[in-house]
Amino acid sequence: MTSFAGAPTDEEVERFNVCLLEMIVEGMLPFDVVENRGLRNLIEHLGPRYTLPTRKTVECTLIPGLYENIMSEVAELISNAKHVAVTIDIWTYTNSDPYVTATAHFIDTNIRYRPLVLSTKKLIANYTAKYLSEVLLEIFQWWNIEKKISVIIADPKAVIKSAIQLLGIESIPCTGHSLNNVINNSLKLDVNENDPLANVNSYQVQIINLVKLCRSIAKYFKFNQIPRRLLREKLKELNYTVLKLKLDDSSKWNSTLVMMERFLKIKKPLTSLSLLILRCPQMPTTEQWTIMEDLVMLLKPFEMMTMQLTEDHRPTLGIIIPLIRGLLLSLENRTPKTSSGTFLKETLICNVMKVFGSFELMQPSSYYAKATILDPRFKKAAFTSSSQSDNVELNIVYEVNDLLKIKKECDTATIDIVTTSQQTTDFTNSTENLLDYLQDKVTTIWSKSNCTNTTAVTLIKQYMDLTYLNLLEDPIQFWKTHNSLLGPLSDVALKYACIPALSVSSEIMFSRAGKVEIQRKNKLSPKDIDTMIFLNKNIGK
């Protein structure tokens, strides 16, 4: 019961502290936020009976205590997982220290998709594949999942691929990194067009020069207050939404798309204003504006695909083949107005096929194709080749057959135990149900039939005959609903359903850690970084 006078009870203090910790963790706030005078004044007025803990208490007692509790919950969840997919990503902290973050993705005992952060470890500079493999193995062994990991999703850099190979675990490339490589290799914005070895043609040069021009204009308005104010006034005068020009980040293709979209949105006010400013950079020519329209039109499908893949609460691996097919169809149906646009379209299609074209052929991994067929939203419909989809289906049959054999051995042992226990039934039990014998008999018959008569071919045929799931529905919920009907096939499907297509869960930790660094004066220790990222991602999950 809450006390309205005097000191708060221990239970109230604990609740207040939990709310405080959740605020710090969710907002990735520095520990010394409790020393902020404004926050202390607010607490004094809202809850005068509660005294904020000191920074030392937060850092040395409350945060470690919360970490231990959440870690125990995560450990229990992951200990019951049958298969675990791991994403890893290496990122650089604001002081240039490299870190690796590992996240686990699995289906829990209630058949719910669980994406959870495992650990964030600081790496030595100029790390090798052998050293990285040792760091990863240490993480996996600590969580006791090294034998449960079905696949690792990561940036396809050579050092990361080599490290995973040393662990003897199969890996698949992060689709986000692969898409980024497709676009970077197509736009070639980081290439010096004057370098004879750069292998760029005149159309490529036009695109490169256009992006450079947009950057110079965006920089001018960003770093000059008067032109920025005049642009704002011009937008109001012409009844446009007041927008700022965006300057792209050369390392992120989507920011270049955002920059050019913003230029097109305020083209008329911007062009009109440029005539009134003496030192304003030269605006794009009529042809360049048209090329810009082509670039935005052709890059938009890639942005849409990326957005669909960043849904962290739903499985994404099974949607890659359908999305790639949709991406190619979308590109083929778009008609650029310029020769540079036509060149970019052809280049994008070629690079997409080079990177993703073999996924239906189960190369470089069978995971994509199997995940697609076992996604009830798609099944075989997304495949361009019926013979190839039949081949994938056959591979799934083999995998289910292996599981049936294991299940048969386990069920036989279970039946023997049940028979023995029935012989020693305690008839003094007052809660005895006279129909228990029938349930035991049904269970025994079901176990035997599933072991001997139900084949993998029958199971997958039953699955294929079921109605397709709506594209907006959750495939994991489908397998949960049909688990008793499809048995081992459901187990195989869930193995693939928990695999994400992106390593974005670990990549996003970079920006979160950076936020902490910006907001606090003292540098976080590697242990603090690990703790804060772990809590931020896992609390309340």
Side-chain angles (χ1 to χ4, degrees):
M1 180 179 292
T2 302
S3 173
F4 292 97
T9 65
D10 291 343
E11 183 181 349
E12 287 178 310
V13 171
E14 186 176 348
R15 285 205 306 269
F16 289 145
N17 285 342
V18 167
C19 290
L20 173 67
L21 294 178
E22 287 180 349
M23 181 189 77
I24 292 174
V25 169
E26 291 288 345
M28 296 292 279
L29 301 174
F31 300 141
D32 59 9
V33 69
V34 294
E35 298 175 350
N36 181 279
R37 188 172 64 179
L39 177 62
R40 287 192 168 273
N41 288 338
L42 177 65
I43 295 298
E44 185 177 341
H45 282 84
L46 295 179
R49 296 179 304 107
Y50 172 64
T51 302
L52 276 172
T54 64
R55 170 183 173 169
K56 184 176 181 180
T57 300
V58 170
E59 187 170 1
C60 300
T61 304
L62 298 182
I63 287 290
L66 179 63
Y67 179 80
E68 288 295 325
N69 291 337
I70 301 298
M71 185 175 63
S72 297
E73 294 175 8
V74 172
E76 183 177 358
L77 283 170
I78 206 167
S79 67
N80 295 317
K82 293 180 180 178
H83 306 284
V84 178
V86 172
T87 67
I88 62 170
D89 193 65
I90 296 170
W91 47 275
T92 303
Y93 197 30
T94 51
N95 58 7
S96 300
D97 289 334
Y99 281 78
V100 60
T101 296
T103 65
H105 303 253
F106 57 94
I107 305 297
D108 67 14
T109 53
N110 294 318
I111 312 187
R112 289 177 54 200
Y113 175 53
R114 294 279 191 169
L116 299 170
V117 163
L118 297 178
S119 301
T120 299
K121 299 292 185 184
K122 182 180 177 180
L123 303 174
I124 60 173
N126 302 318
Y127 54 87
T128 63
K130 185 176 184 299
Y131 168 75
L132 178 58
S133 69
E134 291 170 351
V135 172
L136 293 175
L137 183 59
E138 181 184 349
I139 294 174
F140 301 156
Q141 288 179 337
W142 197 94
W143 289 98
N144 197 26
I145 61 170
E146 66 270 23
K147 294 182 180 179
K148 294 184 177 183
I149 300 175
S150 56
V151 67
I152 296 179
I153 304 91
D155 182 344
K157 288 181 181 176
V159 65
I160 299 178
K161 288 177 66 176
S162 297
I164 298 173
Q165 287 175 354
L166 289 173
L167 292 171
I169 301 173
E170 187 167 357
S171 68
I172 57 176
C174 166
T175 302
H177 284 95
S178 298
L179 277 177
N180 195 61
N181 291 338
V182 165
I183 296 171
N184 286 339
N185 291 335
S186 300
L187 294 177
K188 293 187 177 180
L189 298 181
D190 57 346
V191 169
N192 180 1
E193 68 273 18
N194 296 319
D195 184 352
L197 299 178
N199 192 27
V200 291
N201 59 28
S202 58
Y203 300 128
Q204 201 81 58
V205 171
Q206 285 183 324
I207 294 172
I208 293 171
N209 289 338
L210 173 60
V211 174
K212 286 182 178 179
L213 176 60
C214 290
R215 285 174 181 166
S216 66
I217 298 171
K219 285 180 182 178
Y220 175 77
F221 280 91
K222 179 177 181 178
F223 298 113
N224 290 279
Q225 184 177 1
I226 294 177
R228 191 166 63 247
R229 175 177 57 81
L230 292 174
L231 178 58
R232 185 167 60 248
E233 292 173 355
K234 177 62 71 172
L235 289 167
K236 291 180 179 178
E237 177 189 330
L238 297 178
N239 294 320
Y240 276 68
T241 302
V242 177
L243 299 170
K244 296 179 181 179
L245 286 174
K246 293 283 189 179
L247 180 61
D248 73 334
D249 179 344
S250 58
S251 65
K252 300 176 182 177
W253 70 266
N254 57 317
S255 67
T256 304
L257 170 62
V258 170
M259 178 179 70
M260 291 189 292
E261 279 186 306
R262 184 59 54 87
F263 267 87
L264 291 173
K265 284 182 179 179
I266 60 174
K267 173 183 174 182
K268 183 177 178 180
L270 180 63
T271 304
S272 175
L273 178 63
S274 69
L275 300 175
L276 305 176
I277 301 177
L278 292 177
R279 294 184 177 84
C280 184
Q282 180 182 354
M283 290 292 115
T285 64
T286 301
E287 183 182 11
Q288 285 179 316
W289 280 114
T290 309
I291 293 175
M292 198 183 306
E293 292 173 359
D294 283 346
L295 293 184
V296 169
M297 175 185 67
L298 292 169
L299 294 180
K300 204 65 181 172
F302 290 89
E303 181 187 53
M304 291 186 288
M305 179 172 173
T306 302
M307 290 175 63
Q308 284 186 266
L309 288 175
T310 50
E311 294 183 2
D312 202 30
H313 61 286
R314 293 176 62 178
T316 52
L317 193 69
I319 204 173
I320 295 300
I321 290 176
L323 279 179
I324 292 300
R325 187 176 179 186
L327 176 66
L328 289 169
L329 288 172
S330 180
L331 289 172
E332 289 168 358
N333 290 333
R334 293 171 188 250
T335 306
K337 298 176 183 177
T338 64
S339 298
S340 294
T342 301
F343 168 79
L344 179 61
K345 171 184 172 178
E346 294 171 353
T347 304
L348 285 169
I349 291 174
C350 178
N351 285 332
V352 168
M353 288 300 299
K354 187 182 297 182
V355 174
F356 298 102
S358 61
F359 279 17
E360 280 191 28
L361 302 174
M362 297 194 289
Q363 296 172 356
S365 166
S366 64
Y367 284 91
Y368 298 95
K370 289 182 178 180
T372 302
I373 283 190
L374 292 172
D375 190 318
R377 297 172 295 175
F378 311 116
K379 299 181 183 178
K380 293 183 176 183
F383 284 75
T384 56
S385 167
S386 58
S387 62
Q388 185 53 42
S389 62
D390 289 342
N391 186 38
V392 178
E393 181 182 354
L394 184 60
N395 275 267
I396 295 173
V397 167
Y398 292 150
E399 190 167 348
V400 174
N401 241 333
D402 291 339
L403 196 59
L404 278 168
K405 292 177 183 177
I406 296 172
K407 184 174 176 59
K408 179 178 179 181
E409 295 172 0
C410 293
D411 286 344
T412 301
T414 302
I415 293 169
D416 291 339
I417 294 171
V418 169
T419 303
T420 303
S421 64
Q422 287 175 341
Q423 295 171 355
T424 58
T425 302
D426 181 4
F427 292 104
T428 63
N429 187 350
S430 60
T431 61
E432 178 187 2
N433 188 325
L434 296 178
L435 295 178
D436 282 348
Y437 81 96
L438 186 59
Q439 181 59 52
D440 291 340
K441 185 174 182 179
V442 169
T443 301
T444 302
I445 294 172
W446 185 90
S447 299
K448 288 182 177 180
S449 65
N450 273 270
C451 290
T452 58
N453 299 329
T454 302
T455 64
V457 174
T458 304
L459 287 172
I460 201 162
K461 183 179 185 305
Q462 285 178 303
Y463 163 65
M464 291 296 181
D465 289 342
L466 291 172
T467 305
Y468 279 82
L469 201 64
N470 185 287
L471 291 177
L472 298 178
E473 293 185 71
D474 187 356
I476 291 178
Q477 185 60 43
F478 169 91
W479 288 109
K480 181 177 182 179
T481 303
H482 294 84
N483 188 42
S484 58
L485 173 67
L486 299 176
L489 179 61
S490 177
D491 293 338
V492 173
L494 291 173
K495 168 187 172 182
Y496 294 99
C498 71
I499 302 174
L502 303 175
S503 58
V504 67
S505 293
S506 51
E507 289 168 19
I508 202 169
M509 295 302 110
F510 167 78
S511 59
R512 289 179 178 171
K515 187 176 180 183
V516 177
E517 171 68 11
I518 291 170
Q519 290 179 334
R520 69 179 297 167
K521 297 177 182 178
N522 298 323
K523 187 178 74 169
L524 285 170
S525 68
K527 182 180 178 181
D528 286 339
I529 292 174
D530 181 27
T531 298
M532 289 298 285
I533 290 177
F534 180 87
L535 291 176
N536 180 276
K537 183 67 177 176
N538 296 334
I539 193 168
K541 292 300 179 69

